[in-house]
Amino acid sequence: MDNILDACRKTGADCVHPGYGFLSENTNFAALLEKNNITFIGPRSSCIHQLGDKLMSKKLAREIGVSTVPGHAGVVESVEEARKVATAMGFPVMLKAVSGGGGKGMRVCWDDHNLEEDFKLCTSEAQNNFSDGRLLVEKFIVNPRHIEIQVMGDNHGNVLYFPERECSVQRRNQKVVEEAPSSFLTPDVRRAMGEQAAKLAKHVGYNSAGTVEFMVDASHNFYFLEMNTRLQVEHPITEYITGVDLVELMISSAANKPLPLKQSDIKINGWATECRVYAENPYKNFMPSPGKLAQYIEPEHENDPHIRVDTGVVQFSEIPVYYDPLIAKLAVWGENRKASIEKMKTALESYVIQGVKHNVSLLWDVINQPRYIKGDIATNFLPQVYPKGFPGTVLNDTLSLHIATTAAIHKMMAIRREFTVVDNDGGAPQHDNVFIVLHDNKIFNFEVYEENPDENPFQFEVEVTVGDNKLPKFIINANHFPGNPLFLGKIMDDKKQDEQEEEEEGPAVKEEFLTQIFKDNSTDYRVAICGSEFKTQVYTPTQYVMSRYMPKHDASVTLKKICSEITGVVISVAVQPGDKIYEGMTVAVVEAMKMQNPMHAARDGVVKKVYVVPGGSVAADQCVIELE
């Protein structure tokens, strides 16, 4: 905070917009700027104090008649008190940091079994993130929706509410996919929620952007959860469906101007979806994945106003271990919900991220789930849809063929560019056109012919045999260029050529698919489809014969080592040499990207050696504890 204040003095800045990080809800930071006559583009410090504190805001909400979640009236000081309160209230309960947000310092306790560990983790996360380790306990509403109302106030007593945002798809109590409006609310419920949100904000003289969050049950009963006294990460989808620039209104309000809109001016136009693109591994319980972005290509949005990418990274940027793993916010707009989902699908398929693990595959899969498409979502959507964890894209014959075709055509085009041989008669250069693709435990035999390389070097005739099954011949237009991993395949209609030539607009596209392809070596490739990467081998006939003589890699692993799955800082170590441990026991805690991640023993054993100490750093896959 002092550094920002110093920067303002040196540059002559007279105002600060805090974004949507933790300082945006920090009462002390807002008060510090006010004290130094620097405008805080956000609510007054007194508003943050009253509404940013979860205990105080709940008390205030109850007093003015806003529906609230049942909970304990004060701070719980110890594990014993938390256990007593939770037992009296009835499990499940939510342990929650009194200050802050963003899913930090929050755990759902389904029973007494993990309450002690969760209490310690929540307290530590809250202290580290918000400098306030206080916790509260409230009743956890099973299977609720998380729906929030955007509000905007000014210094003249005006407060507006905006159409809701549905934020129910979450992991670790942090939003993953958001949409506006919600497919669940009726106009009457939408109005009632908006009016209660505005009532709460107006009661304290709220004078900027804020969000009132509610839990909504299956009967449309809604309960005040908390208020985020800042601009939300997901604000672009509200801007998309209303046409209102929320940041502009924040600046205008900070300049002491009255809001230029009336409540009746705010309408819903179309549908917007936002996906949060995180540097994390969805296949391993969303473990953070810091590192360098070796390749980074955003969906094309410069010429499309209906795609928006908000980010602070470029290619070769470092995703550090110290901050939230958010890479970007990807938002799209469509005329209706179906159009918005389809727009997002295409945008995710064209998002290229290499160098770190990311959640694009999960995001794509979520918005293609039948439950999501029907609007049947709740905060437990992810664990219900993926009870054993996210498995990745499930391949079928069509997707497997698209992957194999991508690899074969890419190989053909690469050979055509890099290596040609003049035939014995001195004619046109010739090159391989037969390829063996190994993928999904299948062998694909391809014969690829150039249709008319002079007029259309991207059109090919393809014959494929999978095992003993010869597939129908097809013609494909391959939109794929050197240096760009995107591969747009258009399989053309199989009508007779003379019928196609009679059509003024040319042959029709029968099927279209978008993939990404990455070359690891001369035969090994990775092809991404629907956001998930799959390993594929592509051989010329000669390479395939030679591959049989290559030594096999020894992939054996030992169970004698407990290794960190992430790069981070060691918070605690619970064992020492000679200790007996048991399967599932927490042996250490590693913090990465503001989240504390317990390490558990995979089997019973005796500790032989401990390689780390609290406060030290640890790399992904580094051995932390060795067993006898």
Side-chain angles (χ1 to χ4, degrees):
M1 292 189 289
D2 291 335
N3 289 338
I4 294 174
L5 182 60
D6 186 55
C8 291
R9 289 168 174 161
K10 289 178 178 178
T11 60
D14 59 2
C15 60
V16 172
H17 193 297
Y20 36 78
F22 293 138
L23 281 182
S24 62
E25 293 185 279
N26 189 305
T27 303
N28 294 331
F29 180 58
L32 179 66
L33 295 179
E34 292 167 1
K35 181 180 178 181
N36 286 272
N37 297 317
I38 297 173
T39 300
F40 180 72
I41 303 178
R44 284 183 290 270
S45 59
S46 59
C47 294
I48 300 175
H49 176 68
Q50 289 179 279
L51 296 177
D53 184 292
K54 294 179 178 61
L55 283 175
M56 194 176 298
S57 64
K58 283 180 180 294
K59 182 175 182 295
L60 184 62
R62 291 191 189 100
E63 290 174 353
I64 65 172
V66 174
S67 177
T68 59
V69 177
H72 182 59
V75 173
V76 287
E77 302 286 353
S78 64
V79 174
E80 290 71 23
E81 185 181 1
R83 181 177 288 113
K84 182 179 179 180
V85 170
T87 301
M89 189 180 300
F91 288 96
V93 299
M94 173 76 82
L95 291 177
K96 183 186 294 186
V98 170
S99 301
K104 306 299 187 294
M106 297 174 63
R107 295 285 195 286
V108 177
C109 296
W110 295 96
D111 51 43
D112 186 43
H113 181 67
N114 290 323
L115 189 135
E116 182 173 352
E117 179 180 2
D118 288 341
F119 186 91
K120 292 177 180 178
L121 290 172
C122 286
T123 301
S124 181
E125 284 181 5
Q127 185 63 43
N128 291 343
N129 285 291
F130 317 122
S131 299
D132 182 356
R134 294 178 302 153
L135 299 183
L136 59 85
V137 179
E138 64 185 20
K139 182 67 178 175
F140 179 71
I141 299 173
V142 179
N143 208 32
R145 288 174 179 258
H146 185 136
I147 298 177
E148 62 189 28
I149 302 293
Q150 174 76 57
V151 296
M152 181 69 70
D154 61 21
N155 291 311
H156 303 272
N158 302 305
V159 175
L160 300 174
Y161 67 85
F162 290 75
E164 76 283 353
R165 296 186 290 252
E166 171 82 65
C167 307
S168 298
V169 181
Q170 304 179 4
R171 60 96 177 95
R172 292 178 173 172
N173 303 302
Q174 195 171 33
K175 302 155 192 173
V176 177
V177 179
E178 300 111 339
E179 61 179 317
S182 169
S183 61
F184 180 67
L185 294 191
T186 64
D188 287 342
V189 175
R190 175 178 295 120
R191 186 183 311 108
M193 291 177 69
E195 289 173 351
Q196 285 204 17
K199 180 181 181 181
L200 180 62
K202 196 163 187 174
H203 184 73
V204 298
Y206 202 81
N207 63 322
S208 190
T211 298
V212 181
E213 303 196 350
F214 293 93
M215 298 300 251
V216 184
D217 66 20
S219 300
H220 290 97
N221 299 308
F222 57 89
Y223 307 93
F224 170 71
L225 186 63
E226 63 188 39
M227 183 168 182
N228 288 324
T229 54
R230 57 176 167 84
L231 187 70
Q232 290 284 85
V233 171
E234 59 272 19
H235 75 274
I237 56 177
T238 297
E239 295 183 335
Y240 259 145
I241 66 167
T242 62
V244 176
D245 189 326
L246 297 175
V247 177
E248 181 182 4
L249 288 185
M250 291 180 73
I251 296 172
S252 175
S253 176
N256 208 33
K257 297 179 181 179
L259 290 172
L261 301 170
K262 301 187 300 294
Q263 190 63 55
S264 59
D265 295 327
I266 300 172
K267 310 290 186 183
I268 297 176
N269 176 33
W271 213 282
T273 307
E274 178 178 284
C275 286
R276 299 194 189 192
V277 181
Y278 288 112
E280 64 185 17
N281 190 341
Y283 306 98
K284 290 189 175 183
N285 197 30
F286 309 104
M287 283 290 183
S289 177
K292 181 175 287 188
L293 294 173
Q295 191 168 24
Y296 182 78
I297 303 173
E298 296 172 352
E300 172 55 43
H301 58 90
E302 291 185 359
N303 299 313
D304 188 343
H306 299 150
I307 299 178
R308 173 172 168 174
V309 183
D310 289 2
T311 186
V313 303
V314 294
Q315 188 157 298
F316 305 129
S317 287
E318 190 80 23
I319 306 297
V321 69
Y322 308 106
Y323 307 113
D324 189 274
L326 185 68
I327 296 175
K329 304 179 300 177
L330 174 61
V332 302
W333 179 91
E335 293 183 353
N336 51 50
R337 190 170 187 265
K338 181 179 179 181
S340 182
I341 291 173
E342 289 299 317
K343 188 87 171 177
M344 181 60 78
K345 284 168 58 177
T346 302
L348 288 169
E349 288 170 358
S350 62
Y351 210 141
V352 179
I353 303 172
Q354 292 288 294
V356 299
K357 302 293 185 183
H358 57 80
N359 68 333
V360 170
S361 56
L362 171 74
L363 297 171
W364 190 95
D365 204 75
V366 164
I367 65 173
N368 280 274
Q369 285 289 332
R371 274 189 56 178
Y372 184 86
I373 292 170
K374 289 192 301 182
D376 179 16
I377 55 181
T379 55
N380 60 357
F381 178 88
L382 292 182
Q384 283 191 345
V385 174
Y386 311 111
K388 296 181 179 180
F390 176 59
T393 300
V394 178
L395 294 177
N396 54 34
D397 290 344
T398 300
L399 292 178
S400 291
L401 180 59
H402 290 168
I403 290 171
T405 301
T406 298
I409 297 295
H410 174 87
K411 183 90 166 181
M412 172 78 161
M413 297 173 78
I415 290 177
R416 184 174 65 183
R417 289 193 306 269
E418 299 170 6
F419 181 74
T420 59
V421 179
V422 178
D423 69 16
N424 293 332
D425 297 327
Q430 302 294 313
H431 49 72
D432 286 308
N433 73 320
V434 177
F435 305 100
I436 298 95
V437 179
L438 306 184
H439 169 66
D440 196 25
N441 297 317
K442 300 184 183 74
I443 299 177
F444 296 78
N445 289 282
F446 278 83
E447 292 184 35
V448 183
Y449 302 94
E450 297 173 289
E451 279 280 281
N452 192 337
D454 294 329
E455 292 187 10
N456 186 355
F458 302 106
Q459 184 163 294
F460 304 91
E461 183 179 83
V462 180
E463 295 182 9
V464 190
T465 301
V466 185
D468 297 327
N469 182 25
K470 187 170 184 178
L471 304 181
K473 184 187 303 183
F474 61 88
I475 295 172
I476 183 171
N477 278 338
N479 190 341
H480 180 56
F481 300 95
N484 190 325
L486 293 178
F487 183 105
L488 177 61
K490 296 182 178 181
I491 298 175
M492 313 310 291
D493 198 335
D494 56 1
K495 291 189 294 184
K496 294 180 180 179
Q497 185 67 28
D498 56 351
E499 292 179 1
Q500 294 176 348
E501 290 175 350
E502 292 175 3
E503 298 180 10
E504 293 182 3
E505 297 181 358
V509 176
K510 179 181 179 181
E511 187 178 354
E512 185 173 304
F513 63 89
L514 181 61
T515 57
Q516 301 173 20
I517 183 164
F518 308 95
K519 182 178 179 180
D520 292 331
N521 55 50
S522 61
T523 58
D524 293 349
Y525 294 80
R526 288 169 292 119
V527 179
I529 193 166
C530 307
S532 292
E533 280 190 10
F534 297 91
K535 292 183 178 180
T536 306
Q537 290 80 45
V538 189
Y539 301 93
T540 63
T542 301
Q543 289 174 326
Y544 186 63
V545 172
M546 296 298 294
S547 69
R548 302 177 186 179
Y549 302 99
M550 299 297 290
K552 302 299 182 181
H553 174 66
D554 182 8
S556 62
V557 295
T558 178
L559 291 176
K560 291 186 177 182
K561 295 181 178 180
I562 302 176
C563 299
S564 176
E565 295 190 46
I566 56 175
T567 298
V569 176
V570 179
I571 298 299
S572 64
V573 179
V575 297
Q576 58 186 356
D579 285 354
K580 291 182 178 180
I581 64 172
Y582 53 87
E583 182 180 348
M585 176 181 173
T586 299
V587 294
V589 176
V590 177
E591 182 176 87
M593 295 174 166
K594 300 296 184 181
M595 291 296 292
Q596 294 193 5
N597 304 278
M599 293 180 59
H600 300 107
R603 67 172 179 88
D604 296 351
V606 177
V607 176
K608 180 180 180 180
K609 193 169 184 178
V610 178
Y611 292 95
V612 297
V613 295
S617 60
V618 63
D621 299 322
Q622 178 182 333
C623 179
V624 173
I625 295 168
E626 184 178 352
L627 305 181
E628 292 181 353

